Every structure is written in structure tokens, then in C-alpha cells.
Amino acid sequence: MTIADEFRRSLEAGLTELATNEWAVTEAREQVISDVTPSEAFENIVDVLSLAGEQTDPYAFASCCWLVLDLAKLSDTTELPGNLEEVVASIAPVASNLQVEAELKKVANWYRVNR
């Protein structure tokens, strides 16, 4: 199972738990990366960012971007993952609709991607 797949399930569960546990999504994000190697982190960045584009909730979209940044830090490189520029461009309208452009911009800035 990929990190994106695991986070998709954890995110859905975490969003439903927010009323009783305000840290549910943060905990899910932390758990997903707990045993990730730098190479695994790097290999999963684009898939997690693509997951952001599937979201209809601003907090869920932002959480995917935060996970991407966590993975970027774990990967210990600013090397541009394949297709990242295309994914940033393709999900920019979703970020705009959800009013979370700032979160996507943080990802783009990390990799020095112009949007």
C-alpha cells in the first residue's frame, strides 16, 4: 500500500473523528510517516499531492499539502519529483475553489516551482 493510499483511508477516518478528537488528522499524518525512509518519502510526494486534488474539504486539502511538506523534509532533498509541476498546475483550481492556495504555494515554493 502506498503512503497516499494509507493517508486517504486515515484522512477519511480522521475527518469523521474531528468532533471528538481535534488532533485526529494530525495524528493520522504523523502515523503515516512514522517509519518512512527518505527514498520512500521522495517516491510518494507526487501521489500525495495528487490526493490533495481529490479533496472537497479545505482542511483535507491542506492536510495533504502538509503531508507533502513532511515527506519533502524526510526525503532530505529539494530535487523535483517527476510530474510535480504538472500536478501543482492541475490542482491549483481546486486549491483556489477551496481557498487554500497558500498551502499549495508552500509546496511549490519548497521545490521552486512557479505557478
Side-chain angles (χ1 to χ4, degrees):
M1 178 180 310
T2 68
I3 292 172
D5 291 336
E6 187 176 340
F7 189 59
R8 176 182 284 113
R9 289 189 336 199
S10 298
L11 180 61
E12 290 171 8
L15 289 171
T16 61
E17 293 175 26
L18 282 177
T20 58
N21 177 5
E22 66 186 77
W23 297 102
V25 174
T26 300
E27 291 167 355
R29 199 173 73 241
E30 290 172 351
Q31 176 142 6
V32 166
I33 63 168
S34 64
D35 294 325
V36 173
T37 66
S39 62
E40 290 171 327
F42 183 79
E43 292 167 4
N44 283 275
I45 289 168
V46 172
D47 288 344
V48 173
L49 192 58
S50 296
L51 177 62
E54 299 172 15
Q55 304 309 309
T56 58
D57 177 84
Y59 185 60
F61 186 101
S63 294
C64 291
C65 289
W66 297 333
L67 179 57
V68 166
L69 291 172
D70 291 340
L71 292 170
K73 290 172 189 168
L74 281 171
S75 73
D76 200 27
T77 182
T78 57
E79 179 183 341
L80 191 65
N83 295 337
L84 185 100
E85 290 180 284
E86 292 84 0
V87 172
V88 167
S90 72
I91 67 172
V94 177
S96 179
N97 288 341
L98 296 175
Q99 299 180 339
V100 288
E101 299 98 329
E103 302 313 319
L104 183 58
K105 185 174 175 112
K106 290 174 188 174
V107 172
N109 286 344
W110 177 273
Y111 288 105
R112 297 175 301 280
V113 171
N114 294 324
R115 312 185 320 111

Coordinates of all heavy atoms in Angstrom, one line a residue, residues 16-24:
T16 N -13.8 12.2 10.2 CA -15.1 11.9 10.9 C -14.9 11.9 12.4 O -15.8 12.1 13.1 CB -15.6 10.5 10.5 OG1 -14.6 9.5 10.8 CG2 -15.9 10.4 9.0
E17 N -13.6 11.8 12.8 CA -13.3 11.8 14.3 C -13.1 13.2 14.8 O -12.9 13.4 16.0 CB -12.1 11.0 14.6 CG -12.3 9.5 14.3 CD -10.9 8.8 14.5 OE1 -10.1 9.2 15.3 OE2 -10.8 7.7 13.9
L18 N -13.0 14.2 14.0 CA -12.6 15.6 14.4 C -13.5 16.1 15.5 O -13.0 16.9 16.4 CB -12.6 16.6 13.3 CG -11.4 16.5 12.3 CD1 -11.5 17.5 11.2 CD2 -10.1 16.8 13.1
A19 N -14.8 15.8 15.5 CA -15.7 16.3 16.6 C -15.3 15.8 18.0 O -15.4 16.6 18.9 CB -17.1 15.9 16.3
T20 N -14.7 14.6 18.0 CA -14.3 14.1 19.3 C -12.8 14.2 19.6 O -12.4 14.0 20.7 CB -14.8 12.6 19.5 OG1 -14.2 11.9 18.5 CG2 -16.3 12.6 19.5
N21 N -12.0 14.3 18.5 CA -10.6 14.4 18.6 C -10.0 15.4 17.6 O -9.9 15.0 16.5 CB -10.0 13.0 18.4 CG -8.4 13.0 18.5 OD1 -7.8 14.0 18.8 ND2 -7.8 11.9 18.1
E22 N -9.8 16.6 18.1 CA -9.4 17.6 17.2 C -8.0 17.4 16.5 O -7.6 18.0 15.6 CB -9.4 19.0 17.9 CG -8.3 19.1 19.0 CD -8.4 20.4 19.7 OE1 -9.3 20.5 20.6 OE2 -7.6 21.3 19.5
W23 N -7.3 16.4 17.1 CA -5.9 16.0 16.5 C -6.0 14.8 15.6 O -4.9 14.3 15.2 CB -5.0 15.8 17.7 CG -4.8 17.0 18.5 CD1 -5.3 17.3 19.7 CD2 -4.0 18.2 18.1 NE1 -4.9 18.6 20.1 CE2 -4.1 19.1 19.2 CE3 -3.2 18.5 17.1 CZ2 -3.4 20.3 19.2 CZ3 -2.5 19.7 17.0 CH2 -2.6 20.6 18.1
A24 N -7.1 14.3 15.3 CA -7.2 13.0 14.6 C -6.5 13.1 13.2 O -5.8 12.1 12.9 CB -8.7 12.7 14.3

